Every structure is written in structure tokens, then in C-alpha cells.
Amino acid sequence: METPEGPSDAELIARVRAGDLEAYGDLFGRHHHAAERMARQLVPAGDADDLAGDAFAKVLDALRNGGGPDISFRAYLLTTVRRVHVDRIRSGRKVQTTDDIAAYEREPQGFDDPTVTGFESGAAAKAFASLPERWQAVLWHTEVEGEKPAAIAPLLGLTANGVSALAYRAREGLRQAYLQQHLADVASDRCRWTTERLGAYVRGGLTKRENHNVREHLDDCAKCTAVYLELVEVNSALPALLAPALLGTAGLGYLAAASGAKVGFVGFLVTGWRKATENSTRTAVGGGAVVVVAVAAVLAAIALTGNETPPAAIDQPPTQQPSQPPPNPPTVNPPSVKPPTVKPPVVSPTQPPPVDPTTAPTTAPTTEPPAPTPTPTPPVPTTPILDEGLLTISAPQGGGAPAGPGAQVEAVASAQWLITIKVPANNTKPVTIGIKYGSSLRWPLSGNPAGWTCAKAADGKSGTCTATNRRSPSTMPVTFTSPTAGTAADRTFTVSAKTGRLYDDDSQTLATPPTPPPAEPKLDENLLKLTTRKTDPDRYFRTITVAPGTGRTSVTVKLAYGASLSWPIAANPAGWKCSQSSKTCTALTPARPAPLYAEFDIPEGGAPARTYTVLATAGLLYDTDSETLAGPRSDESLLHILTPNPGQDPNPLVYNRFLKLSGTSGRVTLEISWGRNLSLLSTFDRGWTCSRSTDIRRATCSTENYRKHLDTEWAAWPGSGPSNTITVTAITPSRRDTDTNLIPPAKSRR
């Protein structure tokens, strides 16, 4: 595939293997500057061109012999530069001619960096190794080298938009694979339920009940608590950790030269690497030839002299190293000649450490060694964490429980609410709550409730309270006098709780008392009638009719409905003046009211949530009627999960599944969930809008006008059963259907 700038790296590599040396000239033109930048980190500037040329020659030999890279030419080339340099040092700078490139595809014998070893054994290494080489290549150029999509497009044979889309998939795939690998390491039988939900818990995506269960488990399980705290950091730091994790400390010089970064930027990456290693969240690339090549390239300078000390620390005293790099550290070039290898003597635990034979002593042997520099204390995490189990607002005494945050409750003369705070076990952090309320409400406390110290703000719209018992805050009762008017915002109060990094907030809206009927009202069962205006499978059409009468001064219709319904009257209905805020309509001609038309969507939930009530008042007469609307019906013919034929498969490198619906052309919602061995890579088809839930294995896609199936792409790890199953629920206004599909393990891929 060719772009306007020429063929891609992959096509040029294929042409070189077929004997086209001119294609290798194009590869040389694209990448020789990068090779020289890498070489200048290893040898003096005058020798950099010679080292880069030898590396290009080695790569050419590999390609002509059928080896070498397929896509990631840049990473393979930088690896070869570094290994040619190492070979020169170990052979005493003697020229060694060979046609065997395999020696340069292996790590030099005797080279073992403990930082890299620990890095490659982590969960991120396994996650990155599971990515396709094409994803690894785009992550190299975008995340490591910081190149723009327009600059990368010719290398990968894509447009700039195509590079952006591929980079998005690669980053999302790495993020999901990392979490899967990380959670798989700790998912014992006792903790599996909790660890599977930690990703959603970190992002505040669990229900109240699930949040409570996770909190209870974390209070008693130190292992899951450690994983939880680590995921809090990974959730916000994973994108920033990728570049320093891949480059390590030895490749910082190359990265700074490639991007024109200042020393301060290099110091930032060093700090990022330290933080990653200190928190045991090192990320790396491991497993597979391509992955080893990519890691080795960015860690090139680690083995410049056979020394395990990073180049940036060669001239720094080991006991004077600061916790963070100085603002302008001096640039230190690594030595061009490998120092002689000195085998350290074996030291018993009771003997003092041996003295470095290359360093002359500066004090008498009897002088006590200087006190070791204390290890700097790692920074305390400050990222706020939403904990939906921290705060609970109970229903008012004598009333039913609200349907959820913001739900309206029929008011009485006064409404008392109970505010409950559940803090972690043995909490020592201050516990505070803030109360804000609309203009129709007043400060709900008189003095200080038991266990709390409260203060009303001067603005008359808010206040704060602090618990006197941090380990077990008392339940706080608050009483709001029922409002008689005002909008929903005027009648709403909000409570925000905070302790340490945990926070939560909740709110409730009080309803105005219903308008009392006139003195000695009289029921007239012929005053009001509810009829079906027309039949439709996706909506309910109703007509509200008030009987005519003489001598009336007013006719009103008031509606009340469950949580699954919404205001059903269109704006400015003929013959009526309606207010959605008060849910009331007033007839403009009381003697002969016009028909009032209502339209309801197909509701979900229980019977109370699907019920609406109409109260008609005409002078001293009133009548009321109600109806419970039917919810969506189950229809097994609605949803079909299709596997495309080879000729219809848009991407044979992943698992495609078409989510097709039958017998509908309107609004459709698809709720998609999947097992732990699967990862949703992307969704396509115009007209669909998709969003990923805070739960890492759940997504919702919707369209207002169904015309075409939804194409989903999946990656799968080996396995079977629920871990390799996707579950899709299709919901239309009147129907719903649930279906499942088993994605084959990786060894069964097409």
C-alpha cells in the first residue's frame, strides 16, 4: 500500500527481500538520521556515521537472507546500532566480518541489567507482547518518539487519520491487556469477585451494593487492598508510563536528541521511571522476537561499556545522588572504551564490603564509613477517589425510599433525612461533609448534632460539618421544611463527603405539597376519561378528555408518573397552557376543554415505575384515573450475532462480530459485556454512538435510526466458557433480546 509520500516500510522491506536494492536506499533515507542520533549516544560524533553505516549493512544482510523485521524497521535498526557497538567494544575494536546476522539478533552474552530483568517480568511486558507488531510499531513512533501522525503515515502505509485510529486502538489494547494481565496475577478463588471489579471501583462505576461489597472485602484483605492502590495509580499514569518504561534510563539521550527536548524533560522521564519501579508498576516489552527487538533498541545505552550503571550516573558519587534530577544536569558522554572487567570477591554477610580497587582511599582504613544517605520517602498519592459507598442519604421518616439520586418524594410538613458516612476501617483522616441547598430551602440544622461540629456559611445557601469521631462518624439527621414553590434547583439539596482521598456526593429534590382540593370536593367519575388515540409498537398515544360544563371558572389537569416515565405533553398544546415543572395543564376554555394529547415511551422497571395518574379538577368537581403501561416484551428474533464470511471480513487480523437486528428501524440500544479473556478493540458503522463504561468489560452503543448492523472487533486470549463469551442485549422501545457468542481461543484464529 502506497501513500502520497511513497511506499510503506513494510512494502520496502518486502522489495529488499526480493532483491530490490533501490528500496533499501529509500529505507536508508528515512531512518539514517535516527540511526546517527542513536550512534552519537554511544560513540564520539566523528565515529557516529561509521557506526550507523555498519548497522545498515548488517540489517541489509539480514533482510537479504530472509530475516530482519517485517514492519518495525526503526526499532530493529536502533537495536543493531547498539549491538554492533557492543560487539566492537568486546572484540577490542577489531573488525570482525560475518554474514551471520543471528548473532546480532541475540542479546550479547554476559549482559544482564537487573532493572530490565524486573521490568520484563511484569504484567505490562506480557500485555505489550500480546499486541500485534503493527500496534507495537505505531506505539513506538507515537508514544516513544512523539512523532505526529502525518510523519508516521508514510512509514506504515496509512493516512494521517489512519495512523491516529491505529494508535487509538493500540493504546486501548495495551491498556486493557495490562489490566487483564495485572488482575490475572491475583485472582484467587477468594478474591476473584473483588479483583474483577477493581477496575470499575477505581473509576466509580459500580452500583451502591457492589461498592459496599468491595469496600467490605478491602477492609479485610491486605492483598486486594495493595492491588487496588496500585490500580489507582495505573488508571491515571498508564499513558505517561509507556515512554519511560520502553526507553528505560539508557535511551533518554536518544529520546532527547530525537525530540529536541531539554534536560528538564529527560529528568522528568527519569523521575517517571523511578516512580514506576518504586510502585512495582514497571511496564515493558517481552516475549517474541519483535518485542525483544523493540525493548533492546531503547535500552541501547545500558550496555555501552559492559557496565550496569546507566550512563547518566557514571560520574556521579553513589552516595550523593539526589531524589530528583537537578534542573540543568551536565551532559556526560559514555566512555568509548570498555574498562577492564573486575570480578568482585565473594563477601560473607559478616564481612565489610570490599574496597573498589580502582579507587584510591582518601581516609585511613580505621576511619568509619560515612552514614548512608537515607532513602527518600515516596510521595503520598493525592489523586481523589470516588467512593459511592462513603455517603448515604436515607429516606425521610414516615415516607417511602426515593428511587435514586435526585428522585422526588412527596413532602410532608417537614422532611427528616439521615446522612450516614462509612469510612475505611481504622480511619484517621478528618471526615467532613458540605451541605448546599436551593433558595426554597433553609439551613436544616439547629446547633450541632451529636458527634458533629457544624457551621452555616455566610451566603445562606451552604454549610459544613466535621465529625468528632473519625473512625466511626455518627449518623446525622437533617430536617428541611417542605418548600411551597420554586423550581427543582430551588428545592434540591446536595451533600458532599470527604475523608483523605475518598469523596462522594448525593442529592435529593423535595416536591411541593399537592394543591389541596377545594372545600368539600365532590367526586364525579364522568369528568375524566383516558382513551387510546392510536396503536403503535414503540410508543403509547393517549387522549385525556375532560367533560364540558357550564359556569366553570377553571379546569386543571395534574399528572404524576413513575420513574420510568417522563413528561408526556407536547409544548403549547392546542387549548391548554401547561407547565412541566409543576406537571399541571390549565384549560383556556373551561366550559369546553379541548382534548389533551399525551405520548409515553415504552417504559421499563416495575409496575410503580410504569404507572401514571391524572387528576382533573373543575370547580368543586374532581376525578382521577391511572394506567400502568406495559414494558418491553422479549423477542428472540430481534438480535443476531453474526460471524462474517472471509470475503465479508473487514479485518482478518482480529475477530469481527456483526450485531444485526430484525424488524426495527427506530431507536436501538445495545448493552455489550464480555469475559476476562476478551477485549473489545473497536466499533464501526456510521449512525452508532458507543461509550465504554467505567467497568473495563462493558460498553453501550445506541442509534436513533437503525439502518445497518454494528461491526465490533475483538481480541481473544486462549480459553473457553464465560471467560471467552460476549453477551449482547438489544433494547428497542418495545422489544428486547439477549444473545451470547463464544470467541475461539487464539490457537483457533483464522
Side-chain angles (χ1 to χ4, degrees):
M1 175 180 179
E2 293 197 14
T3 65
E5 293 79 5
S8 65
D9 280 4
E11 183 174 339
L12 291 174
I13 290 172
R15 286 164 53 181
V16 172
R17 288 195 174 113
D20 185 358
L21 294 183
E22 291 185 1
Y24 198 69
D26 293 339
L27 289 171
F28 180 87
R30 287 180 178 179
H31 301 284
H32 79 278
H33 288 301
E36 289 182 358
R37 283 197 304 269
M38 185 66 185
R40 282 194 293 270
Q41 311 309 312
L42 309 176
V43 298
D47 298 331
D49 185 68
D50 181 55
L51 177 59
D54 286 353
F56 270 105
K58 293 296 183 183
V59 176
L60 176 60
D61 290 340
L63 294 178
R64 296 174 70 178
N65 292 329
D70 294 323
I71 299 176
S72 301
F73 186 87
R74 175 75 58 84
Y76 192 94
L77 174 64
L78 298 181
T79 305
T80 306
V81 171
R82 171 256 195 163
R83 288 174 178 165
V84 168
H85 173 65
V86 172
D87 185 73
R88 284 181 175 183
I89 293 176
R90 292 181 175 173
S91 61
R93 290 190 173 271
K94 295 180 180 179
V95 178
Q96 180 180 359
T97 303
T98 177
D99 293 331
D100 183 13
I101 190 61
Y104 294 90
E105 295 180 339
R106 296 189 299 268
E107 192 68 31
Q109 294 295 325
F111 176 73
D112 183 16
D113 184 73
T115 301
V116 178
T117 302
F119 163 71
E120 292 179 342
S121 65
K126 301 175 185 177
F128 196 88
S130 68
L131 300 181
E133 183 183 354
R134 193 174 184 83
W135 286 10
Q136 296 174 14
V138 75
L139 286 177
W140 173 279
H141 288 283
T142 57
E143 300 299 326
V144 178
E145 302 214 11
E147 296 176 321
K148 300 295 184 182
I152 306 171
L155 309 182
L156 299 180
L158 299 171
T159 63
N161 290 337
V163 171
S164 298
L166 182 63
Y168 173 83
R169 293 185 187 179
R171 285 192 298 268
E172 182 63 19
L174 177 63
R175 185 178 296 111
Q176 299 300 326
Y178 179 85
L179 289 175
Q180 289 288 343
Q181 291 288 346
H182 197 85
L183 295 177
D185 292 339
V186 296
S188 64
D189 292 338
R190 188 174 69 89
C191 301
R192 181 171 288 108
W193 186 93
T194 299
T195 54
E196 287 178 349
R197 289 160 176 80
L198 281 182
Y201 183 71
V202 169
R203 297 169 173 85
L206 297 181
T207 64
K208 287 278 189 178
R209 181 180 297 275
E210 289 176 329
N211 209 307
H212 172 79
N213 291 338
V214 171
R215 282 286 307 280
E216 291 290 340
H217 181 81
L218 293 181
D219 287 345
D220 298 329
C221 181
K223 183 177 183 181
C224 289
T225 300
V227 175
Y228 158 68
L229 295 175
E230 193 168 314
L231 285 181
V232 170
E233 299 300 327
V234 171
N235 182 47
S236 59
L238 182 58
L241 288 175
L242 181 59
L246 290 178
L247 288 173
T249 56
L252 294 179
Y254 168 78
L255 181 60
S259 61
K262 296 182 179 180
V263 177
F265 176 68
V266 176
F268 165 76
L269 292 181
V270 173
T271 303
W273 174 260
R274 285 201 191 107
K275 180 177 179 181
T277 55
E278 287 172 2
N279 289 279
S280 300
T281 56
R282 304 177 183 133
T283 53
V285 195
V290 175
V291 180
V292 173
V293 167
V295 174
V298 295
L299 298 178
I302 294 180
L304 299 182
T305 63
N307 195 332
E308 294 185 354
T309 303
I314 289 177
D315 293 339
Q316 298 177 6
T319 60
Q320 301 294 327
Q321 184 174 359
S323 60
Q324 295 184 353
N328 295 290
T331 302
V332 179
N333 292 325
S336 58
V337 180
K338 178 181 177 181
T341 302
V342 179
K343 184 176 181 181
V346 178
V347 182
S348 65
T350 58
Q351 294 177 346
V355 179
D356 187 348
T358 63
T359 304
T362 58
T363 60
T366 58
T367 303
E368 295 184 0
T373 302
T375 302
T377 303
V380 178
T382 59
T383 305
I385 303 172
L386 174 63
D387 183 354
E388 293 187 355
L390 182 64
L391 167 67
T392 302
I393 302 179
S394 303
Q397 293 181 352
Q408 290 188 345
V409 180
E410 290 298 328
V412 291
S414 64
Q416 186 180 59
W417 304 78
L418 301 178
I419 301 176
T420 304
I421 307 295
K422 179 173 174 52
V423 299
N426 300 322
N427 178 62
T428 59
K429 304 294 184 181
V431 181
T432 61
I433 63 173
I435 304 176
K436 295 183 179 180
Y437 44 91
S439 59
S440 295
L441 303 176
R442 298 293 180 267
W443 178 246
L445 298 172
S446 177
N448 293 324
W452 293 88
T453 301
C454 299
K456 178 182 177 182
D459 59 8
K461 298 179 180 179
S462 62
T464 59
C465 295
T466 303
T468 57
N469 185 348
R470 298 180 178 182
R471 295 177 180 267
S472 180
S474 302
T475 298
M476 176 191 298
V478 295
T479 302
F480 287 96
T481 301
S482 297
T484 58
T487 64
D490 297 333
R491 296 180 279 107
T492 297
F493 71 93
T494 301
V495 180
S496 301
K498 184 179 185 301
T499 178
R501 290 200 293 161
L502 303 180
Y503 73 94
D504 190 13
D505 58 73
D506 205 348
S507 62
Q508 295 293 339
T509 300
L510 279 69
T512 57
T515 302
E520 299 181 0
K522 182 178 180 181
L523 175 63
D524 183 355
E525 295 184 353
N526 296 319
L527 179 64
L528 175 66
K529 182 183 295 185
L530 300 180
T531 57
T532 300
R533 179 154 54 99
K534 66 177 181 179
T535 303
D536 187 278
D538 294 332
R539 292 181 69 82
Y540 289 109
F541 294 89
R542 296 293 184 263
T543 300
I544 302 173
T545 304
V546 179
T550 58
R552 296 175 179 169
T553 58
S554 66
V555 171
T556 61
V557 172
K558 186 175 180 63
L559 284 83
Y561 41 85
S564 294
L565 302 176
S566 58
W567 177 245
I569 309 299
N572 302 318
W576 294 85
K577 182 179 180 181
C578 298
S579 172
Q580 182 176 351
S581 61
S582 63
K583 300 182 177 58
T584 302
C585 291
T586 303
L588 301 180
T589 56
R592 189 173 292 275
L596 184 60
Y597 301 119
E599 297 181 11
F600 293 98
D601 290 334
I602 305 296
E604 298 184 357
R610 295 184 281 107
T611 300
Y612 72 96
T613 301
V614 180
L615 171 64
T617 304
L620 296 178
L621 301 178
Y622 76 93
D623 191 10
T624 183
D625 202 353
S626 64
E627 180 185 12
T628 300
L629 302 176
R633 70 180 189 277
S634 178
D635 184 354
E636 295 185 358
S637 65
L638 176 63
L639 174 65
H640 306 277
I641 304 178
L642 304 178
T643 301
N645 296 326
Q648 300 174 330
D649 197 336
N651 189 353
L653 300 179
V654 299
Y655 294 102
N656 286 82
R657 294 296 182 267
F658 296 158
L659 309 183
K660 183 178 180 182
L661 293 101
S662 301
T664 185
S665 60
R667 184 169 69 256
V668 175
T669 299
L670 298 177
E671 296 180 352
I672 309 171
S673 61
W674 54 92
R676 63 187 305 162
N677 285 350
L678 300 176
S679 177
L680 177 60
L681 303 179
S682 60
T683 56
F684 296 96
D685 293 326
R686 292 183 177 179
W688 288 90
T689 301
C690 297
S691 62
R692 296 294 294 270
S693 171
T694 51
D695 190 328
I696 61 176
R697 294 195 299 276
R698 187 172 302 162
T700 299
C701 297
S702 62
T703 179
E704 293 297 323
N705 190 10
Y706 176 77
R707 287 292 182 270
K708 185 181 178 183
H709 64 253
L710 177 65
D711 181 13
T712 60
E713 290 188 347
W714 301 86
W717 284 266
S720 60
S723 296
N724 286 74
T725 300
I726 64 173
T727 301
V728 183
T729 298
I731 303 172
T732 67
S734 60
R735 296 182 295 164
R736 65 166 56 230
D737 187 16
T738 300
D739 203 354
T740 61
N741 186 265
L742 181 65
I743 304 292
K747 64 181 180 181
S748 300
R749 292 181 68 110
R750 299 182 297 277

